[in-house]
Amino acid sequence: QKEVEQNSGPLSVPEGAIASLNCTYSDRGSQSFFWYRQYSGKSPELIMFIYSNGDKEDGRFTAQLNKASQYVSLLIRDSQPSDSATYLCAVNGYGNKLVFGAGTILRVKS
Amino acid sequence: GAVVSQHPSWVICKSGTSVKIECRSLDFQATTMFWYRQFPKQSLMLMATSNEGSKATYEQGVEKDKFLINHASLTLSTLTVTSAHPEDSSFYICSPSGTDYEQYFGPGTRLTVT
């Protein structure tokens, strides 16, 4: 059974701080990793995807992947109240299916 | 990101009736369509996967005769909830996928069965 684990939170950070969201996965064969943001009552929105070990930066977001440790993280720099949402980690499985974690609630306090 | 539409965005129906949800990928060809369901405060649960022109593959525990999926073209897929019951009330989200691994989500359809 492929699993993706996330701390449910909530993770509270002050405005302007760095928010660090973590995710571990069980299937060593996973190749693709995704971070989605989901606002309450809305569908998920793709923020980042990463395929290779190391860091990938896009604006205020940085995804970090360590396949040896089966660990992927998302850093949000200069956090804003508008970043408050649930962040879903997803890992590809068989047939392009995504396996989702339960999500981490992020609260950015102004 | 890709542009995906779903219709209707919300629907209320009576128990025993059927509801059809349309999902359109507006700017790319969806060779694969994933349908998800999300209950309040829970994560996404994959219901079924369909490839254009083929029958859908359903996840364990999802009744294929209750949730009818049609993926007749590369830009349109439909999910029909037949004989809906209150326990089918949920947020239904389609997710088209093209030739890469990225998945984009439709805006979702909130179904309430009374």
Side-chain angles (χ1 to χ4, degrees):
Chain A
Q1 179 71 21
K2 296 173 181 151
E3 293 183 350
V4 178
E5 300 287 338
Q6 292 181 258
N7 188 318
S8 62
L11 172 66
S12 292
V13 300
E15 183 175 357
I18 296 175
S20 177
L21 304 164
N22 305 315
C23 173
T24 59
Y25 58 95
S26 63
D27 183 10
R28 282 197 172 275
S30 299
Q31 297 294 320
S32 308
F33 307 87
F34 305 86
W35 281 100
Y36 289 85
R37 176 176 62 196
Q38 186 175 26
Y39 293 111
S40 181
K42 303 294 185 181
S43 67
E45 171 192 9
L46 180 65
I47 299 175
M48 295 276 294
F49 59 90
I50 186 168
Y51 302 146
S52 304
N53 273 327
D55 295 0
K56 179 181 179 182
E57 187 175 317
D58 184 1
R60 295 188 296 114
F61 300 97
T62 299
Q64 298 175 318
L65 175 61
N66 184 323
K67 290 187 178 180
S69 301
Q70 296 175 238
Y71 176 94
V72 58
S73 65
L74 179 69
L75 301 178
I76 306 175
R77 289 181 299 281
D78 188 23
S79 295
Q80 301 297 309
S82 59
D83 294 326
S84 298
T86 297
Y87 288 81
L88 302 171
C89 172
V91 176
N92 81 297
Y94 176 76
N96 262 6
K97 295 180 184 179
L98 289 181
V99 180
F100 284 88
T104 298
I105 298 171
L106 173 65
R107 293 180 181 156
V108 180
K109 298 183 177 180
S110 57
Chain B
V3 180
V4 183
S5 71
Q6 267 185 254
H7 177 81
S9 55
W10 60 270
V11 58
I12 301 173
C13 71
K14 291 186 177 180
S15 186
T17 61
S18 296
V19 173
K20 179 184 282 190
I21 301 169
E22 284 190 355
C23 175
R24 293 180 185 273
S25 56
L26 302 178
D27 59 351
F28 78 104
Q29 296 184 326
T31 52
T32 303
M33 185 69 74
F34 299 94
W35 283 94
Y36 292 87
R37 178 168 55 181
Q38 187 176 36
F39 293 105
K41 299 190 186 301
Q42 295 186 24
S43 192
L44 297 164
M45 293 177 56
L46 180 65
M47 298 175 66
T49 305
S50 70
N51 294 307
E52 185 258 340
S54 301
K55 288 185 178 180
T57 302
Y58 292 81
E59 296 298 303
Q60 192 172 11
V62 179
E63 300 175 55
K64 64 178 182 178
D65 294 329
K66 183 173 183 60
F67 298 99
L68 303 179
I69 291 173
N70 183 284
H71 191 174
S73 77
L74 291 171
T75 59
L76 173 65
S77 177
T78 60
L79 166 67
T80 301
V81 183
T82 62
S83 187
H85 291 285
E87 58 265 30
D88 298 324
S89 299
S90 189
F91 192 43
Y92 292 86
I93 310 172
C94 67
S95 177
S97 179
T99 54
D100 53 29
Y101 289 112
E102 296 161 42
Q103 283 186 22
Y104 299 92
F105 289 87
T109 296
R110 189 160 303 281
L111 170 64
T112 302
V113 184
T114 61

